[in-house]
Amino acid sequence: MVEKKGAGRPSNRDVILDAADQLVAAEGAGHLTFDALSQTTGISKGGLLYHFKSKDCLLQAMLKRRVERYEALREQYHHEFANDPKGELKSILLAALDTDAECSRLGSGMLAAAATNPELLGPLKEHIALTLQRLERIAGSKVGKTLFYAVHGARLFEQLNLCDACVHEREDFAQYLLKLVDELTEIESIR
């Protein structure tokens, strides 16, 4: 459960989002209902509606939280690569790659929900546009985008359960990706 810093208990909003994440990961977005959440969390339907006026608002909040968690992870990696001139690029790619199986299932559920209402993807589209701008600034258009698309292609294979090897070979893929960052950005800087 996500806890507020300095607080003893998570907020009801966080409890609801955690339960919604778990429900979507386990059963898919189609099973995400306020009744199911009320039963899981012990929060009344009115309490749920106080925090999220509709299922779409809840799904958007879930997507926004995924973006926030990605950004926190990217920051963490950025600190690890503080002395590496290519650290910002590496942190973007590794944060995108560093997820667990539950996150993959959650992502698949969110994709299914977004298929019925593409407007739900607004926060994610904004995040991707900003990330692509950042990549272009730090690595050039072709190198940054190519690496970014490779990472997200691997993630999509995982989400759609198309490639068991993607999960098992993720560490090797990450190490090779870091090597490519060094090699390709050197080539780009020579041009």
Side-chain angles (χ1 to χ4, degrees), residues 27-129:
E27 299 182 37
H31 294 277
L32 179 62
T33 65
F34 284 124
D35 289 331
L37 279 175
S38 180
Q39 186 174 14
T40 303
T41 62
I43 299 171
S44 71
K45 202 169 176 181
L48 297 173
L49 289 167
Y50 172 79
H51 291 284
F52 305 100
K53 66 180 180 179
S54 68
K55 181 178 172 180
D56 283 353
C57 289
L58 174 61
L59 289 167
Q60 273 191 318
M62 292 168 68
L63 274 173
K64 184 177 179 206
R65 188 162 85 154
R66 292 255 50 93
V67 169
E68 290 167 354
R69 287 181 173 173
Y70 163 83
E71 284 299 325
L73 190 56
R74 186 193 57 75
E75 257 319 295
Q76 182 181 334
Y77 277 117
H78 192 67
H79 288 302
E80 288 179 30
F81 291 109
N83 297 322
D84 186 334
K86 297 164 185 121
E88 188 174 3
L89 175 58
K90 291 176 180 179
S91 68
I92 290 168
L93 299 173
L94 288 178
L97 190 60
D98 189 355
T99 56
D100 56 23
E102 182 172 315
C103 184
S104 290
R105 289 189 306 274
L106 174 62
S108 297
M110 297 301 285
L111 283 175
T116 60
N117 185 355
E119 291 176 16
L120 293 175
L121 296 176
L124 195 54
K125 284 182 176 183
E126 286 177 34
H127 166 71
I128 289 171

